[in-house]
Amino acid sequence: MVPQNVPLELLERIADHLIEKGYVIIDDFLNQEQVDELVERILFHREEGNLHKAGIGKPEDYQVIHEVRGDYIQWIDREKNPLFFSYYVDRIKEIARFLNRTCFLGLRDYEMHMTVYPPGAGYERHVDAFQKDDNRRLTAVCYLNSSWTPGDGGELLLYPVTDGGEEGIIVSPLGGRLALFESTMAHEVLPAKEQRFSITGWMLNERHLQGEGID
Ligand code: OGA
Ligand code: NI
């Protein structure tokens, strides 16, 4: 019996909202303790000097453009590193499997990085699905600032085409909250005023060469 970490009701709400709107926001996806533990891990990696300035695009056209994107990241090595965040990954995989069964998304793998936006950093409007391939199907961001308040900045703005307006939907990066959206949807991160922690990940249509994948 595979343990059921995400209640069926929530899985159904996620699928319905994703199909209808192209995004879904889930509050309290992680509890306080889990959020604190992940922040601790990120701070540890930062101390160790493992976080590096994020770039844009695929390795072959890799470039660091400070004006576009100001976050620091470390990719999570699925072989070496997974224990401390397995609770999170297991739930993400469960959502992916449910979406495969109900919406035929063909999700086969995932990738994730720890992310820190220092004060002043944001990420200009962009899409995550690379132009040359559409392997990134869904973006999943879990926010880790447990005492976030509006003055802290760093809101996510989503621009779903169906909603027409160019204003964007404002998603506050509340600790424990998960934002899940189509990777082809335009979005941006407003400049953070306080440092902003998150786990950023993607559900992929192609399988990595190594690792356990989604199914
Ligand atoms: C990204 C991104 C959104 C967020 O890393 O591609 O758009 O809210 N992140 O952190
Ligand atoms: Ni993005």
Side-chain angles (χ1 to χ4, degrees), residues 69 71 73 113 115 117 123-124 126-128 136 139 141-143 154-157 171 173 179 181 187-189 196 198-202:
R69 178 174 187 184
D71 55 331
I73 67 168
H113 57 65
T115 316
Y117 285 77
Y123 196 156
E124 283 182 4
H126 66 283
V127 297
D128 291 346
R136 286 180 168 183
T139 304
V141 189
C142 192
Y143 300 107
E155 291 91 344
L156 167 70
L157 291 193
V171 181
F181 55 92
H187 58 281
E188 71 181 281
V189 179
R196 175 198 199 254
S198 55
I199 301 286
T200 314
W202 293 270

Side-chain angles (χ1 to χ4, degrees), residues 55-64 75 111 130 132-133 136:
I56 296 172
K58 291 269 189 185
E60 60 265 29
D61 47 63
Y62 185 88
Q63 49 184 317
V64 176
W75 287 97
E111 57 191 12
F130 291 117
K132 284 179 217 146
D133 64 59
R136 286 180 168 183

Side-chain angles (χ1 to χ4, degrees), residues 39-51:
V39 170
E40 236 171 74
R41 293 297 171 154
I42 295 176
L43 290 174
F44 170 80
H45 280 286
R46 185 167 66 183
E47 285 292 302
E48 296 280 295
N50 294 335
L51 265 64

Side-chain angles (χ1 to χ4, degrees), residues 5-21:
N5 290 313
V6 187
L8 183 60
E9 214 174 276
L10 179 56
L11 290 170
E12 284 169 347
R13 183 164 77 76
I14 291 169
D16 287 350
H17 211 277
L18 258 183
I19 293 297
E20 194 188 329
K21 304 267 191 195

Side-chain angles (χ1 to χ4, degrees), residues 12 18 22 25 29 38 40 60 63 83 89 103 125 157-158 171 185 197 199 205:
E12 284 169 347
L18 258 183
I25 310 301
F29 188 70
L38 287 174
E40 236 171 74
E60 60 265 29
Q63 49 184 317
L83 269 184
V89 173
C103 313
R125 184 172 165 149
L157 291 193
L158 291 173
V171 181
M185 182 181 289
F197 299 98
I199 301 286
N205 283 135

Side-chain angles (χ1 to χ4, degrees), residues 18 57 60 78 81 83 126 138 146 174 176 181 190 198 212:
L18 258 183
E60 60 265 29
R78 302 175 314 151
N81 218 340
L83 269 184
H126 66 283
L138 295 177
S146 49
L174 299 176
F181 55 92
L190 297 182
S198 55
E212 79 281 31

Side-chain angles (χ1 to χ4, degrees), residues 12 24 27 41 47 92 110 122 138 146 168 172 195:
E12 284 169 347
V24 59
D27 283 331
R41 293 297 171 154
E47 285 292 302
I92 289 290
Y110 66 90
L138 295 177
S146 49
S172 303
Q195 60 180 345

